[in-house]
Amino acid sequence: MLIKRPRGWELPESAATPEALVMGRRKGLGLAAGLLAGAGAGPALAQGAAPTADPMAAARNPRYQPGRDLTPERDVTTYNNYYEFGVDDKRIHRAAQRLPLRPWRLKVDGMVERPIEFDIDGLLRMLQLEERVYRLRCVEAWAMTIPWTGFQLSTLLGLVNPLASAKYVTFETAAIPAVMPGLRQSWYPWPYLEGCTIEEARNELSFLAVGLYGKALPPQNGAPIRVLFPWKYGFKSGKSIVRITLTDQRPVCFWERLQNQEYGFWANVNPEVPHPRWSQATERVIGSNERVPTRLFNGYAEQVAGLYTGLANERLWA
């Protein structure tokens, strides 16, 4: 008798996309087509009304248990890395309030059958949101635990249908000089660009967040939409995304372009591989300031270790 043992990163049938969402996909694609802007134009960003701060209607997914208390909301929204708004972690939340959040368009293009430029609110009306609690591990050796509202990245990829030749996915952050003083630092390779493989993008953990703590995502945390890879160091999770591009060329990302000996393409969390200037063996929990051991893949090894089979010669850890 054949006994199949499911792997940790395989989804059970119960986690399949609801039938109603699948059957409504044609309608959703029609709406998406209506949201298309001029093919030659970049994403339009202008000063407008901020999204509502009312709680988002999203049930928590019990599949994702962080094994750690939530970080206080105040710490999550006032201790931020966002170089477009400066380098002082504790002042960025004030500077970022100038970021215009509406209208906001998200272009998805490159090696796809259906390149689309979405209006962010139109996109959100097409999708069912959920809440996931993820651990966040910064390369600077601090950590948080955050309840994010959003949807799986693979859902968005399903709307554009990647070509078989697509091997990588890139994420471009908005660059708005009028409100982002950090862009004046011309030695940085703006705009902020991050990327992953198509297999990583399709992993169940890869998530596009539009909220946290039941509220719309604040500007300093990457509003109105950011990407999350909870098994990687935080710099891989690009904020305030305006463009997602599928390609067959591996991108050279923002920090890799600046200091490739310190920040590599993969940047998976590993306590045994130190940063050139500090140890990664432990992490400081924001809120309590407790020092705790770092976990391989930030504790998500069961879901993602299989992505890296056969890559022994790659520099998987930053």
Side-chain angles (χ1 to χ4, degrees):
M1 177 166 69
L2 177 62
I3 300 177
K4 180 175 179 176
R5 299 183 182 276
R7 295 168 290 182
W9 58 89
E10 292 182 321
L11 287 171
E13 290 186 13
S14 62
T17 302
E19 180 180 1
L21 181 58
V22 175
M23 298 307 293
R25 186 167 181 265
R26 182 178 298 275
K27 180 179 178 181
L29 289 173
L31 173 60
L35 298 171
L36 284 170
L45 297 175
Q47 183 70 44
T52 176
D54 293 338
M56 292 189 167
R60 181 169 295 181
N61 190 330
R63 179 178 174 84
Y64 305 97
Q65 299 292 334
R68 183 182 290 176
D69 291 340
L70 294 182
T71 302
E73 180 180 355
R74 177 174 174 80
D75 289 325
V76 172
T77 58
T78 60
Y79 189 85
N80 311 104
N81 280 341
Y82 201 154
Y83 272 50
E84 286 85 342
F85 292 102
V87 298
D88 187 335
D89 308 65
K90 297 181 180 179
R91 293 186 179 181
I92 287 170
H93 67 283
R94 296 189 183 94
Q97 300 311 306
R98 297 182 62 201
L99 179 68
L101 300 181
R102 294 298 187 277
W104 192 279
R105 305 191 74 83
L106 173 64
K107 177 182 286 188
V108 187
D109 63 2
M111 293 182 166
V112 298
E113 288 186 2
R114 293 181 295 271
I116 300 175
E117 187 170 64
F118 298 95
D119 169 77
I120 186 65
D121 294 311
L123 174 63
L124 297 185
R125 285 194 293 269
M126 294 168 58
L127 303 172
Q128 181 174 346
L129 303 180
E130 63 175 296
E131 183 179 80
R132 294 187 182 184
V133 181
Y134 278 166
R135 292 183 296 275
L136 173 67
R137 174 59 156 80
C138 182
V139 72
E140 297 171 343
W142 55 260
M144 295 181 177
T145 306
I146 304 172
W148 304 95
T149 300
F151 54 94
Q152 206 159 289
L153 174 55
S154 61
T155 301
L156 182 66
L157 296 182
L159 294 177
V160 298
N161 200 12
L163 301 179
S165 53
K167 305 300 181 185
Y168 300 94
V169 184
T170 65
F171 304 87
E172 182 180 326
T173 292
I176 312 174
V179 300
M180 293 176 163
L183 297 179
R184 299 173 195 147
Q185 300 176 83
S186 58
W187 54 89
Y188 285 122
W190 308 113
Y192 196 99
L193 188 75
E194 262 304 336
C196 67
T197 67
I198 189 72
E199 292 82 11
E200 290 175 319
R202 285 173 168 154
N203 184 270
E204 63 167 295
L205 292 178
S206 300
F207 199 63
L208 288 168
V210 294
L212 49 72
Y213 294 93
K215 304 170 187 175
L217 199 64
Q220 65 270 26
N221 294 100
I225 186 167
R226 66 172 294 170
V227 67
L228 297 167
F229 302 103
W231 70 97
K232 295 177 176 288
Y233 292 114
F235 69 85
K236 294 295 294 183
S237 296
K239 301 179 179 74
S240 304
I241 297 170
V242 293
R243 188 174 187 178
I244 298 174
T245 302
L246 285 87
T247 176
D248 58 358
Q249 301 296 311
R250 186 158 112 177
V252 180
C253 303
F254 183 88
W255 286 106
E256 183 183 10
R257 189 180 298 276
L258 277 171
Q259 296 172 303
N260 63 2
Q261 294 305 308
E262 298 189 6
Y263 305 101
F265 172 78
W266 300 98
N268 296 314
V269 177
N270 189 336
E272 296 184 0
V273 179
H275 184 278
R277 289 179 279 134
W278 57 80
S279 171
Q280 297 287 19
T282 65
E283 58 198 35
R284 178 173 61 93
V285 179
I286 298 298
S288 68
N289 280 329
E290 180 185 9
R291 275 279 171 185
V292 300
T294 299
R295 300 170 66 182
L296 182 66
F297 290 112
N298 201 25
Y300 296 101
E302 183 180 3
Q303 291 92 341
V304 302
L307 294 170
Y308 307 104
T309 302
L311 296 177
N313 293 327
E314 287 281 344
R315 182 184 154 203
L316 297 175
W317 327 102

